[in-house]
Amino acid sequence: MNGKKSDNFVIHGDICYSLDQNTLRCVEGGYLVCKDGKSQGVYPSLPDWYMNLPLLDHSDRLILPGLVDLHMHAPQFAFRGLGMDLELLEWLEAYTFPEESKYRNLGYARNAYAAVARDLVNGPNTRVCMYATVHLPATRLLMDMMETTGLVCMVGKVNMDRNNPPYLCESSAALSAEHTHMWLAASAGRYKNVSAILTPRFIPVCSDELMGMLQKLQKEFNVPLQSHLCESRAEVEWVRKLCPNSKNYADAYDSFGLFGGDVPTIMAHCVWPEEDEIALIREKNVYIAHCPQSNANLTSGVAPVRRLLNNDVQIGLGSDVAGGCHTSIFRAMADAIQTSKLRHLLVDRSEAPLSIAEAFYLGTLGGGSFFGNVGSFAAGYEFDAIIIDDTSIYAPFPLTVEERLARVMHFSDDRHIQEKYVRGKCVKC
Amino acid sequence: MNGKKSDNFVIHGDICYSLDQNTLRCVEGGYLVCKDGKSQGVYPSLPDWYMNLPLLDHSDRLILPGLVDLHMHAPQFAFRGLGMDLELLEWLEAYTFPEESKYRNLGYARNAYAAVARDLVNGPNTRVCMYATVHLPATRLLMDMMETTGLVCMVGKVNMDRNNPPYLCESSAALSAEHTHMWLAASAGRYKNVSAILTPRFIPVCSDELMGMLQKLQKEFNVPLQSHLCESRAEVEWVRKLCPNSKNYADAYDSFGLFGGDVPTIMAHCVWPEEDEIALIREKNVYIAHCPQSNANLTSGVAPVRRLLNNDVQIGLGSDVAGGCHTSIFRAMADAIQTSKLRHLLVDRSEAPLSIAEAFYLGTLGGGSFFGNVGSFAAGYEFDAIIIDDTSIYAPFPLTVEERLARVMHFSDDRHIQEKYVRGKCVKC
């Protein structure tokens, strides 16, 4: 019997997952049980009552939960690595907006999104929150294409009706809202793995009128929301000028009822939060997508992840392609650790650097919890798993599972991802 | 006729190399001529007098000078990615010294160095300055093995006779010097591609007596020298205590006559130099190996590369494996740019970040000049070249050669290195 085609099976290998922010559970030669797309837990030896399930023998392979990318821009994949000599607002004008405008052409979008889908299937991520563009047809196309990959994705049609070039700007708040309504109505119930997420790009490009309309749509369709918060100092300053009545950037979203609370919400970046904002983020249970590489590439800074964690803020990792060049959340883990060390050294010695266990938590369970019971192998969690063949990474002495994880985090690539499961289905075999 | 087996040939493709620190010369569909292991220059169309040479058609491939790694530790390759939660001096004690002690065993060394050699042949580097260990037989073995790769390497038997664990420490200055003498005598004239470089590890582990003896050996054998300078603040403080009569760390080397001048010298890191030291580095024409990833991983800091460049210091890049996890100098280029942005933002706004052209210069011509006429395709330079197939990196619109270079820098891996030439010989075909 071919276990890969069954919904119920057991994987045997060297298993590792986060119990909490600080604690890895590693079981060498353990058994991970999948039934009906959910984990039944990890066992050092296989209990009798699972003996009849097909056994997939991945001895000596590393078995990890699938990684979660809480923030990426699908139309920016095409220009990864370009314009890396610019800061955020310049880069948006010079590269991002001109490129995104091309997605009014469905043929262009189809080719570009096919490249995104191929890359994501080959890599270690199993769940992704992504931005499309303002264009309704291309956004639907992206959702259709991601659905066929088997990855679980939240996809947002972008809203932007001010302060951006006419070739990309939606011509009015009403039109932007109308397209968003059509998109939400058409998306509801259409997919198994893909769902809609409301995506006002960020305060500077969304009028007050539009934000009001989006709040109504959010309530009508009961969808989550993603946006950007406190990425660069210039952007924070801009928001201060645009919203003189708001206490700060977070408060500007909150004043429209679009900052967490009943609305499951991801804000990307949070590099420059004020104390008040951190309190509001926590109070409203807003998720922060920490995007360390992008924040370095665009000279935005290093987010105060330690301070956010100490304040019980929910945090996941984001590739932020194309501010970041790499879709793999393994790279985001390594970058999160590296930049946390530079922050510790150069900004605030009281903020301890992130550990391997913490970075792994952020990229699995930390971000995964935005999707529900995701990012762990504890019983009842959705069965997202990656099988990693790290035998090609030379080691002249025996390594612990945690040491192997550290190496995979620092220098694996898609060749090491041997198989990948999402909700119990093999999506890369 | 098979051009790869000839010493004289022409490569046709999209060629790019540095004219100087700020200037790339990119010739799309150009011709790069090799005669007797040297470049005869790059031509937009092939001159008549080269028409009779074999033409290697690499249309649409990127042709770049081979990359130069000015600083790596061959015995540390085995534990890349481990212990990345420690700072420099702790990491040396916990990981580096115990691992290096294993190289007294030649069988262990042979396996581990074979993995290093494989990795280096597959990647983009063509020249490497590397540290071995204190062990004479294993150092000779490493030299023998690197010779067979065809890469050009300078290899150093490490000297260390104080302040390190007894299992690794050389038992006296005299013994350390005696082994070094034997090694230098046996290496002289033995290799075509490999040569010896004197390698006192760093001031804290080398007694005054030993440094004096090494200075004599340096004069006797006329060999270059590599060591470490101002890597972390704790180390700088330690040197200050060990050398109360020296003005600073650089001056401590200089007081033994081992800081440049007549001695071609590489100092790795230089993260925390004083103004006086920068002046001495320049005066003595000492090369700095900038190792951005290692300096982040070990919480050492970000070297003031812009300030060093403004002071006309000669700089190349170093992987510093295993402080850095990646041997590819493309990665070092991308890391140098990223960390220069964080330094610009967090340390000193007056130090402008590095550009793509500058990072590429550092990893080719900047470090290459330590080897002579290396790191460029200008006529007369040694013919080190890499042929890069970047067609698998999705691009929905035409890119300039410089844009393709930026992408290769940011996310290529060994799969993209299609062929590699060193001194006109193909070492990866």
Side-chain angles (χ1 to χ4, degrees):
Chain A
M1 179 175 183
N2 182 348
K4 290 178 190 174
K5 296 208 169 142
S6 158
D7 283 344
N8 305 319
F9 54 88
V10 177
I11 291 180
H12 176 56
D14 300 332
I15 302 165
C16 188
Y17 62 103
S18 293
L19 297 177
D20 58 40
Q21 182 187 319
N22 296 301
T23 320
L24 290 175
R25 182 180 179 217
C26 297
V27 184
E28 213 168 332
Y31 297 85
L32 167 63
V33 181
C34 177
K35 281 192 87 172
D36 303 324
K38 300 224 165 125
S39 170
Q40 306 299 308
V42 172
Y43 303 88
S45 57
L46 190 62
D48 286 348
W49 53 92
Y50 292 131
M51 288 289 188
N52 62 334
L53 294 181
L55 180 73
L56 307 182
D57 186 1
H58 289 297
S59 298
D60 302 324
R61 299 294 181 266
L62 214 46
I63 320 293
L64 308 174
L67 310 190
V68 179
D69 186 349
L70 281 192
H71 185 66
M72 70 90 75
H73 295 263
Q76 297 179 15
F77 181 85
F79 66 96
R80 289 179 305 150
L82 300 183
M84 298 282 86
D85 49 342
L86 302 177
E87 296 198 16
L88 171 65
L89 300 178
E90 305 159 348
W91 177 77
L92 289 173
E93 293 286 337
Y95 281 86
T96 310
F97 292 158
E99 179 61 20
E100 289 195 8
S101 74
K102 297 177 186 168
Y103 287 72
R104 70 179 73 249
N105 176 336
L106 268 185
Y108 189 89
R110 183 172 289 109
N111 286 334
Y113 286 152
V116 176
R118 269 196 308 277
D119 181 276
L120 289 178
V121 166
N122 282 329
N125 306 350
T126 50
R127 310 246 168 177
V128 186
C129 294
M130 52 174 73
Y131 289 50
T133 60
V134 294
H135 311 98
L136 180 46
T139 302
R140 290 192 52 173
L141 175 66
L142 176 60
M143 294 173 87
D144 292 351
M145 291 174 77
M146 291 314 302
E147 175 77 0
T148 66
T149 64
L151 305 179
V152 176
C153 298
M154 297 190 193
V155 177
K157 183 205 113 42
V158 171
N159 299 99
M160 47 201 292
D161 73 333
R162 66 171 178 182
N163 291 330
N164 56 80
Y167 59 76
L168 189 61
C169 196
E170 294 177 297
S171 60
S172 72
L175 183 91
S176 178
E178 186 192 328
H179 282 182
T180 304
H181 188 282
M182 289 164 62
W183 164 63
L184 290 172
S187 303
R190 181 178 168 92
Y191 304 105
K192 225 169 89 187
N193 301 313
V194 172
S195 57
I197 181 167
L198 208 59
T199 306
R201 187 170 202 131
F202 66 148
I203 290 275
V205 299
C206 296
S207 68
D208 292 2
E209 190 187 359
L210 175 57
M211 292 297 269
M213 292 172 172
L214 294 181
Q215 199 261 348
K216 289 199 182 72
L217 288 173
Q218 195 285 320
K219 283 217 173 314
E220 181 180 346
F221 289 94
N222 192 28
V223 282
L225 180 142
Q226 61 184 353
S227 194
H228 296 82
L229 181 73
C230 299
E231 181 171 356
S232 79
R233 285 197 286 203
E235 170 215 17
V236 168
E237 202 43 51
W238 193 11
V239 171
R240 197 184 313 279
K241 284 181 187 148
L242 288 168
C243 308
N245 299 324
S246 294
K247 276 197 295 184
N248 49 46
Y249 201 158
D251 184 57
Y253 287 111
D254 196 43
S255 66
F256 299 107
L258 293 173
F259 198 71
D262 296 336
V263 191
T265 298
I266 301 168
M267 289 284 159
H269 305 304
C270 202
V271 177
W272 300 99
E274 297 175 356
E275 282 307 315
D276 279 4
E277 283 177 300
I278 295 178
L280 191 65
I281 289 165
R282 179 190 177 176
E283 180 196 327
K284 298 286 192 163
N285 204 28
V286 166
Y287 275 69
I288 299 301
H290 173 45
C291 306
Q293 189 188 139
S294 169
N295 296 156
N297 281 340
L298 298 175
T299 323
S300 301
V302 182
V305 179
R306 174 66 59 205
R307 191 146 56 95
L308 294 171
L309 287 172
N310 288 347
N311 281 279
D312 295 325
V313 169
Q314 309 243 41
I315 311 181
L317 295 176
S319 66
D320 195 22
V321 161
C325 301
H326 301 87
T327 51
S328 165
I329 290 299
F330 280 136
R331 174 68 188 252
M333 292 175 187
D335 288 337
I337 295 172
Q338 266 175 26
T339 58
S340 76
K341 289 170 179 169
L342 292 179
R343 185 174 169 91
H344 166 70
L345 185 72
L346 302 175
V347 179
D348 188 342
R349 291 293 294 192
S350 77
E351 294 182 24
L354 297 176
S355 67
I356 295 286
E358 287 175 320
F360 185 67
Y361 165 85
L362 293 178
T364 54
L365 190 52
S369 61
F370 190 77
F371 287 84
N373 283 335
V374 169
S376 164
F377 290 144
Y381 273 68
E382 297 193 51
F383 191 93
D384 291 6
I386 46 180
I387 317 290
I388 296 177
D389 180 355
D390 61 341
T391 51
S392 67
I393 305 178
Y394 177 70
F397 45 83
L399 297 176
T400 65
V401 173
E402 185 171 346
E403 285 174 328
R404 289 165 61 197
L405 173 62
R407 294 171 73 119
V408 163
M409 199 179 282
H410 280 94
F411 48 84
S412 66
D413 60 42
D414 56 304
R415 285 171 284 194
H416 300 98
I417 313 299
Q418 186 178 316
E419 293 188 6
K420 180 156 83 169
Y421 293 81
V422 182
R423 290 176 172 164
K425 304 287 186 199
C426 196
V427 299
K428 179 185 182 183
C429 296
Chain B
M1 180 174 181
N2 183 349
K4 290 177 191 175
K5 294 202 172 147
S6 160
D7 282 345
N8 304 319
F9 54 88
V10 177
I11 291 180
H12 177 57
D14 301 332
I15 302 165
C16 188
Y17 64 103
S18 294
L19 297 178
D20 58 39
Q21 181 188 317
N22 296 301
T23 319
L24 291 175
R25 181 179 180 217
C26 297
V27 183
E28 213 168 329
Y31 297 85
L32 167 63
V33 180
C34 177
K35 281 191 87 172
D36 303 324
K38 300 224 163 125
S39 171
Q40 306 300 307
V42 172
Y43 302 89
S45 57
L46 190 62
D48 285 348
W49 52 92
Y50 293 130
M51 287 290 188
N52 62 333
L53 295 180
L55 181 72
L56 309 181
D57 187 0
H58 289 296
S59 298
D60 302 325
R61 300 294 181 266
L62 215 46
I63 320 293
L64 308 175
L67 310 190
V68 179
D69 187 348
L70 280 192
H71 185 66
M72 70 91 74
H73 295 263
Q76 296 178 17
F77 181 85
F79 66 96
R80 289 179 304 150
L82 300 182
M84 298 282 87
D85 49 343
L86 302 177
E87 295 198 17
L88 171 65
L89 299 178
E90 306 159 346
W91 177 78
L92 289 173
E93 292 285 336
Y95 281 86
T96 309
F97 292 158
E99 178 61 19
E100 288 194 9
S101 74
K102 298 178 187 167
Y103 288 73
R104 73 178 70 249
N105 176 335
L106 268 185
Y108 190 88
R110 183 172 287 109
N111 286 335
Y113 287 152
V116 176
R118 267 196 309 276
D119 181 275
L120 290 177
V121 166
N122 282 329
N125 306 351
T126 50
R127 310 248 168 175
V128 185
C129 293
M130 51 174 71
Y131 289 50
T133 60
V134 293
H135 311 98
L136 180 48
T139 302
R140 291 192 51 170
L141 176 66
L142 175 61
M143 294 174 87
D144 291 350
M145 291 174 78
M146 292 314 302
E147 175 76 0
T148 66
T149 64
L151 304 179
V152 176
C153 297
M154 296 191 193
V155 177
K157 183 205 115 40
V158 170
N159 298 100
M160 45 200 294
D161 73 334
R162 67 171 177 182
N163 291 328
N164 56 81
Y167 59 77
L168 189 61
C169 195
E170 293 177 296
S171 59
S172 72
L175 182 92
S176 178
E178 185 191 329
H179 282 183
T180 304
H181 187 283
M182 290 163 62
W183 163 64
L184 290 173
S187 303
R190 180 178 167 91
Y191 304 105
K192 224 169 89 187
N193 302 313
V194 172
S195 57
I197 181 166
L198 207 60
T199 306
R201 188 172 201 129
F202 64 149
I203 291 276
V205 299
C206 296
S207 67
D208 292 1
E209 190 187 0
L210 175 57
M211 293 297 268
M213 292 170 172
L214 294 182
Q215 199 259 351
K216 288 199 183 71
L217 288 173
Q218 196 283 321
K219 286 218 174 309
E220 181 180 346
F221 288 94
N222 193 27
V223 281
L225 180 142
Q226 59 184 354
S227 193
H228 296 83
L229 181 72
C230 299
E231 180 171 357
S232 79
R233 285 198 285 204
E235 171 215 18
V236 169
E237 202 43 51
W238 193 11
V239 171
R240 196 184 313 280
K241 285 181 187 148
L242 289 168
C243 307
N245 299 324
S246 294
K247 276 197 297 184
N248 50 46
Y249 201 156
D251 184 58
Y253 287 110
D254 196 42
S255 65
F256 299 108
L258 293 173
F259 199 72
D262 296 335
V263 191
T265 298
I266 301 168
M267 290 283 159
H269 305 304
C270 202
V271 178
W272 301 100
E274 296 175 357
E275 281 308 314
D276 279 3
E277 284 177 300
I278 295 177
L280 191 64
I281 289 165
R282 180 191 176 175
E283 181 195 326
K284 298 286 191 165
N285 204 26
V286 166
Y287 276 68
I288 299 301
H290 173 45
C291 306
Q293 189 187 140
S294 169
N295 296 157
N297 281 340
L298 298 174
T299 323
S300 301
V302 182
V305 179
R306 174 65 58 205
R307 191 145 58 95
L308 295 170
L309 288 172
N310 288 346
N311 282 279
D312 296 324
V313 169
Q314 308 243 41
I315 311 181
L317 295 176
S319 66
D320 194 23
V321 162
C325 302
H326 302 86
T327 51
S328 166
I329 291 299
F330 280 135
R331 175 66 188 253
M333 294 176 186
D335 288 339
I337 296 172
Q338 267 175 25
T339 58
S340 76
K341 290 171 180 171
L342 291 179
R343 184 173 171 92
H344 167 70
L345 186 72
L346 303 175
V347 180
D348 188 341
R349 292 293 293 192
S350 77
E351 295 181 24
L354 297 177
S355 66
I356 294 286
E358 287 175 320
F360 185 67
Y361 165 84
L362 293 178
T364 54
L365 190 53
S369 61
F370 190 76
F371 288 84
N373 282 334
V374 169
S376 165
F377 290 144
Y381 273 68
E382 297 194 51
F383 191 93
D384 291 7
I386 47 180
I387 317 289
I388 296 177
D389 180 356
D390 61 341
T391 51
S392 66
I393 305 179
Y394 178 71
F397 45 84
L399 298 175
T400 65
V401 173
E402 185 172 347
E403 285 174 327
R404 289 165 60 197
L405 172 63
R407 294 171 72 120
V408 163
M409 198 180 284
H410 279 92
F411 48 83
S412 65
D413 60 43
D414 56 303
R415 285 171 285 192
H416 300 98
I417 313 299
Q418 187 179 314
E419 293 188 6
K420 180 157 82 170
Y421 293 80
V422 182
R423 291 176 171 164
K425 304 286 186 199
C426 196
V427 300
K428 178 185 182 182
C429 297

